[in-house]
Amino acid sequence: MDAGTTDHVDLAVIGSGSGNSLVTPDWEGKRVAIIESGAFGGTCLNVGCIPTKMFVYPAEVAAAVREASRYGVDAHVDGVRWRDIRDRVFGRIDPISEGGKRYRLEGENTTAYLGRARFTGERTLEVALNDGGTARVEADQIVVATGSHAVVPDVVRESGVPFHTSDTVMRIDDLPPRVLIIGGGYIATEFAHVFADLGVEVTLVARGPRLLRHLDGDVARRFTEAARTQWDVRLETRVEELTPSEAGEGLVDARLSDSTRVEGALLLVCTGRAPSVADLDLPAAGIAQHDDSRIVVDEHGRTSVPGVWALGDVSSEHQLKHVANHEARVVAHNLVHGDDLRSFDERFVPAAVFTRPQIAAVGATQEELDEAGTEYRVKVQEYADVAYGWAMEDTVGFCKVLAAPDGRLLGVHVMGHEASIVVQPAILALNLGLTAAETARGQMWIHPALPEVLENALLGVVDPEN
Amino acid sequence: MDAGTTDHVDLAVIGSGSGNSLVTPDWEGKRVAIIESGAFGGTCLNVGCIPTKMFVYPAEVAAAVREASRYGVDAHVDGVRWRDIRDRVFGRIDPISEGGKRYRLEGENTTAYLGRARFTGERTLEVALNDGGTARVEADQIVVATGSHAVVPDVVRESGVPFHTSDTVMRIDDLPPRVLIIGGGYIATEFAHVFADLGVEVTLVARGPRLLRHLDGDVARRFTEAARTQWDVRLETRVEELTPSEAGEGLVDARLSDSTRVEGALLLVCTGRAPSVADLDLPAAGIAQHDDSRIVVDEHGRTSVPGVWALGDVSSEHQLKHVANHEARVVAHNLVHGDDLRSFDERFVPAAVFTRPQIAAVGATQEELDEAGTEYRVKVQEYADVAYGWAMEDTVGFCKVLAAPDGRLLGVHVMGHEASIVVQPAILALNLGLTAAETARGQMWIHPALPEVLENALLGVVDPEN
């Protein structure tokens, strides 16, 4: 492309994750630009939800083997073929990403710009192409869907030691003997699960007093207890010094604020993610941002600049793919129905953490209700008290239901086997505004299947005697 | 008890399974008789749903170990400790059954009669007590909840060979080298799963052209295919001759109608269950029965005789514990609210089969809709096409949604990992009369969790292009 010309398009989408789904049949016969500086498909496909779960599953299998003797089945793990796992995952994902790029490059009405976009005006962009050139794009409408990226704390950056984030750690060649994970959120704990259950010693260092502390207090507390039986968990602890280790290439030695040392570990930084706005020069377009740098959007996905929209991690307070997908569906409609705008419905955003035990939740936590001064009833039902829990000899799982005094559901929190599946009927019930009694008694629950733990929790919040 | 006297009670319940839950606080200060000839707690607790799942789970664990290498985790089973499994199961269940009996024997307002009841009039019973005596009970109201029992075909009975049913096979001392299972329904297939995955060679002989043929045709067909890879499945086949085997005590040799032989196998009969009415002398009370001997009840649980009720397997067309529980809740209310009767709601009865793959379903099958001439749309969504299915490298699972032309859900059928959990939101949606679109888009679905297979099936039936 000639640096002197400007391409005019009907729609420009910056980011090929959830933004990629905006190219609906409504755009046939029009011009759409997709601008992507990295791998096509965004975080979820390339370095997030999807590949992590493809590592989590083998980890669960390995854990199941190690736990088998509890059930009268003596078994053992002979070995873990890390490269085979890795190559299976990326052998599947990389071609999908490549295919998505090709599809846009060769699309009848799409142009893929492979490079970094920055605003030069309200609806004008300059793209620093990966191959060295520059493109200028003027669009009737622009959607910013650049997502988020891993944040790396100064102590790591400044130490100069080799480290990984979720962007790179899934592609390592060999499992290290030990992993030092900094962070206590869902990314830190999912990777701790993967590495520990594949046989790596895991030390996890977190600043807070509990892991997953954004979750309901009972969940965070009980998860932290369970995690302590699996990993070396250091709470209220910081990494104070990092040095290259003599134990092997790419490994580090660390001094912690509790005066202990961790030696010969692969360093994995999971200290949060920030919206990817640095290159965009949002001020050049006058696009308003929150204090945490997220783009400000209204309930329709509109930024402060007419014709410019944003969705997903770059603007959402939820860093969740299903939220981004929802926002993309709403924005896809709104882009072509300016006189009939739809709104985001984020009243009940569910989330899961694919750890062992697994966690899923929807609606308010008990702490949020306390803080808001909302009255509630609560019931905690143990997996161990329903028949399927007996079959699993379960000792850790539970389902917690919070409901208003009139029975209306406020929040449901599940920790245990397949929590991410068990929680789904509660998501529907919350969205429909059902009471605990309507949800429990408005349907049959297969006996003796695991959802009985949710049924019983719902009944328990109806009648605290239960 | 003196044979000459008659005990008068307010309520007599025959059967301590679901019937046992009828003793609500409404009966405080009144007299309730519970009559039970066998183990307290009924089929589900003692020989049905609950213990079978406690064997199924170790079988799943053993299967997971054997399949682990698919995921890059090399593992193997060193051995299966059958007696440990068995003793864990019954070490848990038997005390619950005993405790239930003691609770009723010593109950303030309950009398437990341990023996077989038969009607001598509309609301009078004679109980042949297990200890040899006879008791006479006259009741204001009687509930028949005697459940069902395994049927044994003539070819087995007349052969005189040793055999097992679901009543006895879970208590055997040692795993046999081979099991010959007669039957192709859910009990046959669940036991085939348990024994095969615990290392026993399984031959399953079924009369029909498919296993689980009461289920949706796609499910039955694809399950039968999957079963053939795990067991020696003989369809459209009968057992023609059974003789004691020289291979070991308690084992049999069999000649099949396909002219082959099965030798040295434990014989497990799973050819269906019939309502347990033989000892009751229902005609003496004038209680009407269906042709298949089930007691006729109306939607309130009333039999043809005033004051006599029935529930569960003895009267229901569903042999399912959650149906019996539902009927027990309705009857418990109706027993004390004669002027405000509640009705059974059995429009949408879900069921699961805990095989590998697992199966769950609710609502109509495609064949039922065809037979009724009901118009429908259908979508089959493969587990392999959603992200969690990728993680599991799934090749067999699927979710099938049937909906009316206006989108209203008619039936949902799931075969695959945790089907009994995946199906639950569909049960709620069917009961609420939701459309596929309302169910799919009225809530968020956690990405990338397994319920996305249901979400995508729902979307597919909305828009067949999906």
Side-chain angles (χ1 to χ4, degrees), chain A residues 24-46:
Chain A
T24 61
D26 289 322
W27 298 94
E28 275 168 26
K30 300 185 176 169
R31 295 303 315 161
V32 180
I34 303 264
I35 305 165
E36 173 60 62
S37 62
F40 247 68
T43 298
C44 169
L45 175 66
N46 290 288

PDB file of all heavy atoms in Angstrom, chain A residues 24-46:
ATOM      1  N   THR A  24     -20.718  -9.727   9.857  1.00  0.00           N
ATOM      2  CA  THR A  24     -21.938 -10.503   9.628  1.00  0.00           C
ATOM      3  C   THR A  24     -22.367 -10.347   8.167  1.00  0.00           C
ATOM      4  O   THR A  24     -21.815  -9.524   7.434  1.00  0.00           O
ATOM      5  CB  THR A  24     -23.056  -9.968  10.536  1.00  0.00           C
ATOM      6  OG1 THR A  24     -23.264  -8.587  10.178  1.00  0.00           O
ATOM      7  CG2 THR A  24     -22.661 -10.046  12.000  1.00  0.00           C
ATOM      8  N   PRO A  25     -23.385 -11.104   7.753  1.00  0.00           N
ATOM      9  CA  PRO A  25     -23.888 -10.944   6.371  1.00  0.00           C
ATOM     10  C   PRO A  25     -24.373  -9.523   6.071  1.00  0.00           C
ATOM     11  O   PRO A  25     -24.493  -9.146   4.904  1.00  0.00           O
ATOM     12  CB  PRO A  25     -25.051 -11.948   6.323  1.00  0.00           C
ATOM     13  CG  PRO A  25     -24.696 -12.993   7.334  1.00  0.00           C
ATOM     14  CD  PRO A  25     -23.996 -12.259   8.441  1.00  0.00           C
ATOM     15  N   ASP A  26     -24.633  -8.727   7.135  1.00  0.00           N
ATOM     16  CA  ASP A  26     -25.035  -7.333   6.906  1.00  0.00           C
ATOM     17  C   ASP A  26     -23.998  -6.553   6.103  1.00  0.00           C
ATOM     18  O   ASP A  26     -24.324  -5.503   5.531  1.00  0.00           O
ATOM     19  CB  ASP A  26     -25.224  -6.608   8.252  1.00  0.00           C
ATOM     20  CG  ASP A  26     -26.460  -7.093   8.994  1.00  0.00           C
ATOM     21  OD1 ASP A  26     -27.478  -7.357   8.324  1.00  0.00           O
ATOM     22  OD2 ASP A  26     -26.400  -7.223  10.237  1.00  0.00           O
ATOM     23  N   TRP A  27     -22.770  -7.012   6.094  1.00  0.00           N
ATOM     24  CA  TRP A  27     -21.696  -6.257   5.454  1.00  0.00           C
ATOM     25  C   TRP A  27     -21.399  -6.730   4.042  1.00  0.00           C
ATOM     26  O   TRP A  27     -20.445  -6.251   3.426  1.00  0.00           O
ATOM     27  CB  TRP A  27     -20.438  -6.283   6.339  1.00  0.00           C
ATOM     28  CG  TRP A  27     -20.725  -5.626   7.647  1.00  0.00           C
ATOM     29  CD1 TRP A  27     -21.126  -6.237   8.794  1.00  0.00           C
ATOM     30  CD2 TRP A  27     -20.734  -4.219   7.915  1.00  0.00           C
ATOM     31  NE1 TRP A  27     -21.374  -5.306   9.776  1.00  0.00           N
ATOM     32  CE2 TRP A  27     -21.141  -4.061   9.270  1.00  0.00           C
ATOM     33  CE3 TRP A  27     -20.433  -3.088   7.150  1.00  0.00           C
ATOM     34  CZ2 TRP A  27     -21.259  -2.811   9.855  1.00  0.00           C
ATOM     35  CZ3 TRP A  27     -20.543  -1.845   7.751  1.00  0.00           C
ATOM     36  CH2 TRP A  27     -20.959  -1.710   9.085  1.00  0.00           C
ATOM     37  N   GLU A  28     -22.210  -7.626   3.544  1.00  0.00           N
ATOM     38  CA  GLU A  28     -22.009  -8.057   2.160  1.00  0.00           C
ATOM     39  C   GLU A  28     -22.158  -6.850   1.230  1.00  0.00           C
ATOM     40  O   GLU A  28     -23.064  -6.043   1.385  1.00  0.00           O
ATOM     41  CB  GLU A  28     -23.011  -9.142   1.780  1.00  0.00           C
ATOM     42  CG  GLU A  28     -22.515 -10.516   2.207  1.00  0.00           C
ATOM     43  CD  GLU A  28     -23.583 -11.594   2.120  1.00  0.00           C
ATOM     44  OE1 GLU A  28     -24.503 -11.432   1.297  1.00  0.00           O
ATOM     45  OE2 GLU A  28     -23.502 -12.564   2.903  1.00  0.00           O
ATOM     46  N   GLY A  29     -21.245  -6.747   0.283  1.00  0.00           N
ATOM     47  CA  GLY A  29     -21.282  -5.622  -0.644  1.00  0.00           C
ATOM     48  C   GLY A  29     -20.668  -4.348  -0.085  1.00  0.00           C
ATOM     49  O   GLY A  29     -20.642  -3.319  -0.747  1.00  0.00           O
ATOM     50  N   LYS A  30     -20.188  -4.407   1.160  1.00  0.00           N
ATOM     51  CA  LYS A  30     -19.512  -3.251   1.750  1.00  0.00           C
ATOM     52  C   LYS A  30     -18.051  -3.604   2.022  1.00  0.00           C
ATOM     53  O   LYS A  30     -17.622  -4.734   1.792  1.00  0.00           O
ATOM     54  CB  LYS A  30     -20.239  -2.836   3.033  1.00  0.00           C
ATOM     55  CG  LYS A  30     -21.699  -2.453   2.754  1.00  0.00           C
ATOM     56  CD  LYS A  30     -22.403  -1.939   3.971  1.00  0.00           C
ATOM     57  CE  LYS A  30     -23.817  -1.491   3.580  1.00  0.00           C
ATOM     58  NZ  LYS A  30     -24.640  -1.221   4.766  1.00  0.00           N
ATOM     59  N   ARG A  31     -17.280  -2.635   2.509  1.00  0.00           N
ATOM     60  CA  ARG A  31     -15.863  -2.879   2.771  1.00  0.00           C
ATOM     61  C   ARG A  31     -15.607  -2.892   4.271  1.00  0.00           C
ATOM     62  O   ARG A  31     -15.961  -1.953   4.982  1.00  0.00           O
ATOM     63  CB  ARG A  31     -15.001  -1.744   2.167  1.00  0.00           C
ATOM     64  CG  ARG A  31     -14.994  -1.606   0.657  1.00  0.00           C
ATOM     65  CD  ARG A  31     -14.564  -2.862  -0.098  1.00  0.00           C
ATOM     66  NE  ARG A  31     -13.385  -3.504   0.458  1.00  0.00           N
ATOM     67  CZ  ARG A  31     -13.055  -4.787   0.197  1.00  0.00           C
ATOM     68  NH1 ARG A  31     -13.812  -5.545  -0.570  1.00  0.00           N
ATOM     69  NH2 ARG A  31     -11.980  -5.280   0.721  1.00  0.00           N
ATOM     70  N   VAL A  32     -14.968  -3.936   4.726  1.00  0.00           N
ATOM     71  CA  VAL A  32     -14.613  -4.057   6.135  1.00  0.00           C
ATOM     72  C   VAL A  32     -13.106  -4.278   6.259  1.00  0.00           C
ATOM     73  O   VAL A  32     -12.543  -5.126   5.562  1.00  0.00           O
ATOM     74  CB  VAL A  32     -15.346  -5.239   6.800  1.00  0.00           C
ATOM     75  CG1 VAL A  32     -14.967  -5.354   8.275  1.00  0.00           C
ATOM     76  CG2 VAL A  32     -16.859  -5.087   6.655  1.00  0.00           C
ATOM     77  N   ALA A  33     -12.484  -3.492   7.137  1.00  0.00           N
ATOM     78  CA  ALA A  33     -11.065  -3.695   7.440  1.00  0.00           C
ATOM     79  C   ALA A  33     -10.936  -4.395   8.794  1.00  0.00           C
ATOM     80  O   ALA A  33     -11.598  -4.007   9.753  1.00  0.00           O
ATOM     81  CB  ALA A  33     -10.344  -2.351   7.496  1.00  0.00           C
ATOM     82  N   ILE A  34     -10.098  -5.432   8.823  1.00  0.00           N
ATOM     83  CA  ILE A  34      -9.765  -6.081  10.102  1.00  0.00           C
ATOM     84  C   ILE A  34      -8.285  -5.819  10.338  1.00  0.00           C
ATOM     85  O   ILE A  34      -7.459  -6.151   9.468  1.00  0.00           O
ATOM     86  CB  ILE A  34      -9.981  -7.594  10.043  1.00  0.00           C
ATOM     87  CG1 ILE A  34     -11.420  -7.937   9.658  1.00  0.00           C
ATOM     88  CG2 ILE A  34      -9.570  -8.238  11.359  1.00  0.00           C
ATOM     89  CD1 ILE A  34     -12.316  -8.223  10.805  1.00  0.00           C
ATOM     90  N   ILE A  35      -7.965  -5.242  11.475  1.00  0.00           N
ATOM     91  CA  ILE A  35      -6.579  -4.879  11.755  1.00  0.00           C
ATOM     92  C   ILE A  35      -6.084  -5.711  12.930  1.00  0.00           C
ATOM     93  O   ILE A  35      -6.693  -5.711  14.003  1.00  0.00           O
ATOM     94  CB  ILE A  35      -6.478  -3.374  12.084  1.00  0.00           C
ATOM     95  CG1 ILE A  35      -7.106  -2.561  10.935  1.00  0.00           C
ATOM     96  CG2 ILE A  35      -5.014  -2.980  12.314  1.00  0.00           C
ATOM     97  CD1 ILE A  35      -7.394  -1.115  11.296  1.00  0.00           C
ATOM     98  N   GLU A  36      -5.011  -6.446  12.711  1.00  0.00           N
ATOM     99  CA  GLU A  36      -4.505  -7.357  13.738  1.00  0.00           C
ATOM    100  C   GLU A  36      -2.988  -7.353  13.681  1.00  0.00           C
ATOM    101  O   GLU A  36      -2.406  -7.589  12.623  1.00  0.00           O
ATOM    102  CB  GLU A  36      -5.056  -8.769  13.490  1.00  0.00           C
ATOM    103  CG  GLU A  36      -4.478  -9.842  14.395  1.00  0.00           C
ATOM    104  CD  GLU A  36      -4.739  -9.583  15.873  1.00  0.00           C
ATOM    105  OE1 GLU A  36      -5.913  -9.543  16.270  1.00  0.00           O
ATOM    106  OE2 GLU A  36      -3.757  -9.381  16.635  1.00  0.00           O
ATOM    107  N   SER A  37      -2.380  -7.131  14.840  1.00  0.00           N
ATOM    108  CA  SER A  37      -0.914  -7.097  14.859  1.00  0.00           C
ATOM    109  C   SER A  37      -0.312  -8.449  15.222  1.00  0.00           C
ATOM    110  O   SER A  37       0.858  -8.701  14.952  1.00  0.00           O
ATOM    111  CB  SER A  37      -0.436  -6.050  15.865  1.00  0.00           C
ATOM    112  OG  SER A  37      -0.866  -6.402  17.163  1.00  0.00           O
ATOM    113  N   GLY A  38      -1.098  -9.305  15.843  1.00  0.00           N
ATOM    114  CA  GLY A  38      -0.558 -10.592  16.297  1.00  0.00           C
ATOM    115  C   GLY A  38      -1.253 -11.756  15.627  1.00  0.00           C
ATOM    116  O   GLY A  38      -1.647 -11.673  14.470  1.00  0.00           O
ATOM    117  N   ALA A  39      -1.396 -12.841  16.376  1.00  0.00           N
ATOM    118  CA  ALA A  39      -2.052 -14.029  15.831  1.00  0.00           C
ATOM    119  C   ALA A  39      -3.544 -13.756  15.689  1.00  0.00           C
ATOM    120  O   ALA A  39      -4.154 -13.141  16.567  1.00  0.00           O
ATOM    121  CB  ALA A  39      -1.816 -15.219  16.756  1.00  0.00           C
ATOM    122  N   PHE A  40      -4.128 -14.209  14.607  1.00  0.00           N
ATOM    123  CA  PHE A  40      -5.555 -14.044  14.406  1.00  0.00           C
ATOM    124  C   PHE A  40      -6.341 -14.881  15.429  1.00  0.00           C
ATOM    125  O   PHE A  40      -5.951 -15.989  15.774  1.00  0.00           O
ATOM    126  CB  PHE A  40      -5.947 -14.492  12.993  1.00  0.00           C
ATOM    127  CG  PHE A  40      -6.409 -13.347  12.139  1.00  0.00           C
ATOM    128  CD1 PHE A  40      -5.513 -12.363  11.750  1.00  0.00           C
ATOM    129  CD2 PHE A  40      -7.737 -13.232  11.744  1.00  0.00           C
ATOM    130  CE1 PHE A  40      -5.932 -11.294  10.971  1.00  0.00           C
ATOM    131  CE2 PHE A  40      -8.169 -12.174  10.965  1.00  0.00           C
ATOM    132  CZ  PHE A  40      -7.271 -11.195  10.575  1.00  0.00           C
ATOM    133  N   GLY A  41      -7.458 -14.316  15.888  1.00  0.00           N
ATOM    134  CA  GLY A  41      -8.330 -15.086  16.796  1.00  0.00           C
ATOM    135  C   GLY A  41      -8.286 -14.578  18.221  1.00  0.00           C
ATOM    136  O   GLY A  41      -9.109 -14.981  19.037  1.00  0.00           O
ATOM    137  N   GLY A  42      -7.315 -13.721  18.529  1.00  0.00           N
ATOM    138  CA  GLY A  42      -7.313 -13.096  19.840  1.00  0.00           C
ATOM    139  C   GLY A  42      -6.791 -13.987  20.958  1.00  0.00           C
ATOM    140  O   GLY A  42      -6.306 -15.102  20.730  1.00  0.00           O
ATOM    141  N   THR A  43      -6.899 -13.455  22.175  1.00  0.00           N
ATOM    142  CA  THR A  43      -6.362 -14.117  23.363  1.00  0.00           C
ATOM    143  C   THR A  43      -6.994 -15.474  23.591  1.00  0.00           C
ATOM    144  O   THR A  43      -6.313 -16.476  23.824  1.00  0.00           O
ATOM    145  CB  THR A  43      -6.617 -13.223  24.603  1.00  0.00           C
ATOM    146  OG1 THR A  43      -5.922 -12.000  24.430  1.00  0.00           O
ATOM    147  CG2 THR A  43      -6.141 -13.911  25.874  1.00  0.00           C
ATOM    148  N   CYS A  44      -8.310 -15.526  23.530  1.00  0.00           N
ATOM    149  CA  CYS A  44      -9.032 -16.748  23.894  1.00  0.00           C
ATOM    150  C   CYS A  44      -8.539 -17.933  23.089  1.00  0.00           C
ATOM    151  O   CYS A  44      -8.202 -18.973  23.625  1.00  0.00           O
ATOM    152  CB  CYS A  44     -10.527 -16.552  23.694  1.00  0.00           C
ATOM    153  SG  CYS A  44     -11.480 -18.072  23.804  1.00  0.00           S
ATOM    154  N   LEU A  45      -8.479 -17.747  21.779  1.00  0.00           N
ATOM    155  CA  LEU A  45      -8.096 -18.871  20.914  1.00  0.00           C
ATOM    156  C   LEU A  45      -6.615 -19.196  21.025  1.00  0.00           C
ATOM    157  O   LEU A  45      -6.231 -20.359  21.076  1.00  0.00           O
ATOM    158  CB  LEU A  45      -8.432 -18.552  19.450  1.00  0.00           C
ATOM    159  CG  LEU A  45      -7.965 -19.604  18.433  1.00  0.00           C
ATOM    160  CD1 LEU A  45      -8.726 -20.908  18.629  1.00  0.00           C
ATOM    161  CD2 LEU A  45      -8.117 -19.097  17.011  1.00  0.00           C
ATOM    162  N   ASN A  46      -5.779 -18.155  21.064  1.00  0.00           N
ATOM    163  CA  ASN A  46      -4.346 -18.385  20.912  1.00  0.00           C
ATOM    164  C   ASN A  46      -3.589 -18.627  22.210  1.00  0.00           C
ATOM    165  O   ASN A  46      -2.683 -19.454  22.259  1.00  0.00           O
ATOM    166  CB  ASN A  46      -3.720 -17.198  20.163  1.00  0.00           C
ATOM    167  CG  ASN A  46      -4.144 -17.169  18.713  1.00  0.00           C
ATOM    168  OD1 ASN A  46      -3.700 -18.000  17.924  1.00  0.00           O
ATOM    169  ND2 ASN A  46      -5.034 -16.244  18.361  1.00  0.00           N
TER     170      ASN A  46
END
